[in-house]
Amino acid sequence: MANPFAEQGVEPTHELIADALGPAVEGWDALMRELAEAGVQVSWRWYRDGGWLAKAANRSRTVAWIAVEDDATRCGFHFAERLRDALLARPDLPPALARRIRDEPLHGTLFTVSFTVASPADVARLRPVLKARLALR
């Protein structure tokens, strides 16, 4: 999927995001509410190699990276490998998600748990990982 916000001079607004996502804007809105309720702030940054990406941060700590794609939102949580066992030990982690996390390859010293968000139900699926990302250091 391609990032519809590649032009440096055009920072995404809710109106532009809604136009890009169509009905999947419901997932975007639910994700933004979930992050705000968790005390996470979202700010936009432009990158030459990827266009506009949203950085979700709790104070100075990055929680997730978010990209608007053609028909959905992609939300990725990066974890240090040393936190994998603690993440897998969380009681609120569904078995299918735990298997996915266990099999996620390393990129350097990090692994990424990524979600496609097109509806509020998708936000509910990522909630345990968001909670873990905020709790684990």
Side-chain angles (χ1 to χ4, degrees):
M1 291 189 225
N3 182 345
F5 303 114
E7 191 176 328
Q8 182 177 5
V10 183
E11 184 173 338
T13 63
H14 189 271
E15 182 177 295
L16 292 172
I17 292 166
D19 286 346
L21 291 176
V25 74
E26 290 180 19
W28 170 270
D29 291 339
L31 178 60
M32 293 301 111
R33 280 191 304 274
E34 185 77 23
L35 293 171
E37 289 170 9
V40 175
Q41 295 182 334
V42 177
S43 61
W44 288 99
R45 300 184 189 295
W46 186 82
Y47 296 91
R48 197 173 319 131
D49 61 345
W52 287 95
L53 297 176
K55 178 181 177 181
N58 182 294
R59 296 185 210 97
S60 62
R61 199 165 141 232
T62 302
V63 174
W65 287 97
I66 305 163
V68 174
E69 298 177 343
D70 291 328
D71 57 356
T73 301
R74 170 77 52 189
C75 182
F77 299 88
H78 303 292
F79 290 89
E81 172 60 20
R82 64 182 172 73
L83 297 175
R84 192 182 304 250
D85 289 340
L87 177 57
L88 289 169
R90 293 188 58 90
D92 58 345
L93 205 63
L97 183 53
R99 282 190 298 278
R100 214 176 105 200
I101 291 167
R102 191 174 17 262
D103 296 338
E104 190 61 44
L106 277 178
H107 302 284
T109 61
L110 301 174
F111 67 94
T112 303
V113 184
S114 185
F115 295 89
T116 299
V117 178
S119 72
D122 296 326
V123 175
R125 284 189 275 282
L126 70 74
R127 189 172 294 128
V129 176
L130 171 61
K131 288 180 180 179
R133 186 67 191 100
L134 292 168
L136 297 174
R137 298 202 182 271

